[in-house]
Amino acid sequence: MKPRQIVVNILLLAAFVGLGMYCYNEGKAYDILIDNAAFSHEGTTYEAYEAILVTVDGEGEPLYLVEGDRGAATISGKKHVILVEELDIDDNVEKSHKVSFKNKEMRGKVVNVVPLVNGKLPGWSYPLK
């Protein structure tokens, strides 16, 4: 083999390895838990929603969570959008909140929608205890 051909083969191999790593990171799925729990921050208490529907990335069945409830969802990719719909007594949508976040912003596998919807307060994502 000529030196030029060796360099081309090494570059092709590096390109395929890079493409493989990119596809792995983009397609990797994570299971997360979604909480609807009361939250306190700097002396202010944010009450949990009485009933909400939570949709993650617009995929799958929405999670129906009542006050203090927890559900599970699967996310893939690096950027996500959570749609939280507050429900009234008749289960009609009263208000909608759409919040986006990235994997690198998460501190754990649990997401509490109460601080997330109220301006991404510290502690909206935390490890499972």
Side-chain angles (χ1 to χ4, degrees):
M1 285 183 133
K2 297 178 185 176
R4 183 176 173 191
Q5 190 176 12
I6 291 173
V7 169
V8 169
N9 286 345
I10 290 173
L11 290 175
L12 282 173
L13 180 63
F16 283 127
V17 167
L19 180 64
M21 290 172 58
Y22 172 78
C23 290
Y24 175 78
N25 287 333
E26 284 298 314
K28 189 173 183 179
Y30 302 93
D31 290 328
I32 62 170
L33 299 173
I34 299 176
D35 275 351
N36 179 20
F39 181 77
S40 294
H41 177 67
E42 295 180 352
T44 306
T45 301
Y46 300 91
E47 295 298 323
Y49 298 108
E50 286 186 30
I52 56 174
L53 283 177
V54 179
T55 307
V56 181
D57 293 335
E59 299 174 359
E61 236 2 80
L63 296 172
Y64 178 79
L65 302 174
V66 293
E67 188 175 348
D69 209 0
R70 178 181 279 179
T74 302
I75 58 173
S76 62
K78 295 182 180 187
K79 297 178 184 177
H80 310 286
V81 176
I82 288 186
L83 175 65
V84 178
E85 298 173 313
E86 293 181 49
L87 303 176
D88 61 11
I89 293 175
D90 299 324
D91 286 342
N92 296 321
V93 177
E94 197 173 78
K95 259 191 209 177
S96 293
H97 308 277
K98 193 179 249 188
V99 183
S100 60
F101 66 93
K102 297 178 183 177
N103 282 355
K104 65 182 179 183
E105 294 176 297
M106 295 180 66
R107 301 291 174 243
K109 301 241 183 226
V110 181
V111 173
N112 188 346
V113 294
V114 176
L116 181 65
V117 167
N118 287 296
K120 282 191 186 177
L121 297 173
W124 66 268
S125 176
Y126 53 92
L128 188 61
K129 297 175 186 176

